[in-house]
Amino acid sequence: MARTPVELLSAADQERLFALRRMKAVALGALIFMAVLFVVGFALQDRLPALAYLRAAAEGGMVGALADWFAVTALFRRPLGLPIPHTAIIPTRKDEIGRNLGEFVETNFLEAEVVRRKLASTPIAARLGAWLRAPEHAERVASEGAAMAQGVLRALSDDDVQDVIESLAREHLIEPGWGEPLGGWLERVIDTGAHHGAVDLAADTVAAWLDANPEVFQGLVSRRLPSWVPSIAARLVDHTVYNEAVAFVGALRADPRHPARGAIDDYLARLAFNLQHDPVTRDRLEQAKATLFDSPRVRRLAAEAWGAAKQGLLRELDEPGSALRTRARDALVEIGERLQNEPSLRSRVDDWVTDAAVFLVERYRSDIASLITETVERWDPQETTEKIELMVGRDLQYIRLNGTVVGALAGLVIFTIAHALLG
């Protein structure tokens, strides 16, 4: 089985590979050392009977070393390339291992009670508050949020946004009828007298305009009089019309019960009634509404408004000292201080986080576990074997080393007991 070249491994994996090779060399050295002791003991035990104990210990050590070498090697590949059953366990049973791992994580970690107990013992809100109240941390969050918002805004297509806005406007503004709700709203306004302020504002505006523009009335009526009317009389007519207009507006402003106000109330009351009950009035309103929204000029203004808003937001988000970024940072600092100083708020936040985490775990635990299973299934068997061996292979070499030592001790004990009993 071909291995990944060392130069293609990450720095951490290269370090693990070198550590694995060192431990393999140590374990192999222990096996060779036992073999040398066995040869010496076997060759000289007739002349020096005590060396029989050395031979027995070395023999047991070799057996232990070879047995554990076989066991460790069988996890990752077939020992000596032989097709021995139940070897190369990881590459041949990779998918089953992935499924078992996913089930293990789902059963033991993605359990609602486990998550709730862990989060309940963790002061999440307090730690978040302590971290956020530091201005540099709040600035960091605001900066990251601004960067994300800029990315979203730049990714949005202006045409798509305009289509969405137009679709929403058509669904919620154009298609629903305005007549009945608008008539009901106007009726409530009239009943409460809330429109009187608007009438006063209109009267004040007209009075101010009349006071600033008396010349507009010059010739307003006189130019329509016969030519034989003296010019003095014509000017007098214009002046009279202007004074009457000023007087009328002044009386309207001064008298809350002026007949003109009553006429306005009556007109608005009729309009409110007709909007709710007269099909002709409602149809005229709907036609005017459709004409307004379907106007190319209105669409162009909407597009320009979106473009201006988008560019303004991008500038505000990009500038660290902008009002938007400053307000966001100050708001985050304030949230941190409140989390630190208000136990009730901390408790609510902890409960929200816990409930949200439990909900996500209960709803998506199988999906999270399947992510592990599907990821392992997509892995190449050789690559999977190499990764696992790099992660745990060095520790597994200690099994070989321990097997050598334990085997030597077991061989020595067995030989000693046998020699003592059987001679």
Side-chain angles (χ1 to χ4, degrees), residues 260-278:
R261 290 180 179 270
I264 293 174
D265 292 347
D266 293 340
Y267 170 76
L268 292 176
R270 288 195 305 274
L271 178 60
F273 179 84
N274 290 337
L275 286 172
Q276 296 180 80
H277 305 289
D278 182 21

Side-chain angles (χ1 to χ4, degrees), residues 64-357:
L66 290 173
D68 287 339
W69 165 82
F70 181 91
V72 171
T73 303
L75 288 173
F76 305 104
R77 59 189 59 86
R78 299 192 184 279
L80 303 177
L82 300 175
I84 303 173
H86 303 293
T87 58
I89 294 174
I90 290 177
T92 57
R93 301 181 61 187
K94 171 181 66 68
D95 294 346
E96 183 180 352
I97 293 173
R99 287 192 296 272
N100 292 335
L101 179 60
E103 292 175 1
F104 176 79
V105 172
E106 180 179 359
T107 303
N108 295 278
F109 295 95
L110 300 179
E111 182 68 32
E113 190 56 36
V114 174
V115 175
R116 185 180 296 277
R117 186 166 55 249
K118 176 60 179 178
L119 293 178
S121 64
T122 304
I124 300 174
R127 293 179 181 178
L128 178 62
W131 190 82
L132 273 181
R133 70 185 302 178
E136 62 273 16
H137 296 159
E139 176 63 31
R140 179 180 175 183
V141 174
S143 299
E144 295 296 332
M148 293 175 60
Q150 290 181 74
V152 172
L153 285 173
R154 290 194 174 97
L156 290 175
S157 168
D158 291 344
D159 293 337
D160 292 341
V161 172
Q162 292 169 21
D163 290 342
V164 171
I165 293 175
E166 182 176 351
S167 175
L168 292 174
R170 187 166 298 278
E171 179 181 355
H172 298 286
L173 295 178
I174 301 177
E175 293 179 358
W178 282 15
E180 188 171 349
L182 184 59
W185 173 81
L186 183 58
E187 185 177 29
R188 289 190 294 273
V189 169
I190 296 170
D191 291 341
T192 59
H195 65 294
H196 293 159
V199 174
D200 293 338
L201 177 62
D204 293 341
T205 303
V206 172
W209 182 85
L210 289 173
D211 185 61
N213 301 278
E215 68 280 357
V216 174
F217 283 80
Q218 295 177 8
L220 181 65
V221 178
S222 60
R223 70 169 60 96
R224 294 174 174 80
L225 295 176
S227 59
W228 50 265
V229 177
S231 58
I232 294 178
R235 288 196 297 272
L236 180 61
V237 170
D238 291 336
H239 184 67
T240 301
V241 171
Y242 173 73
N243 287 337
E244 287 297 325
V246 172
F248 172 78
V249 174
L252 180 65
R253 297 172 64 194
D255 185 6
R257 299 182 179 275
H258 194 279
R261 290 180 179 270
I264 293 174
D265 292 347
D266 293 340
Y267 170 76
L268 292 176
R270 288 195 305 274
L271 178 60
F273 179 84
N274 290 337
L275 286 172
Q276 296 180 80
H277 305 289
D278 182 21
V280 176
T281 304
R282 289 202 300 264
D283 290 343
R284 291 174 61 186
L285 175 64
E286 294 304 319
Q287 292 174 6
K289 178 187 68 175
T291 302
L292 174 64
F293 278 103
D294 289 337
S295 170
R297 180 174 178 81
V298 172
R299 292 186 176 184
R300 186 168 60 253
L301 288 175
E304 292 174 355
W306 160 248
K310 177 180 177 180
Q311 294 303 319
L313 279 173
L314 287 174
R315 285 194 300 271
E316 287 287 306
L317 292 170
D318 188 58
E319 179 59 41
S322 66
L324 180 61
R325 292 272 292 270
T326 301
R327 290 192 184 96
R329 184 186 64 245
D330 294 343
L332 291 169
V333 172
E334 182 181 355
I335 291 173
E337 292 176 347
R338 290 188 59 190
L339 288 173
Q340 283 281 289
N341 301 325
E342 300 181 20
S344 59
L345 179 60
R346 288 201 305 271
S347 178
R348 290 199 301 271
V349 171
D350 287 337
D351 291 341
W352 293 338
V353 173
T354 301
D355 292 341

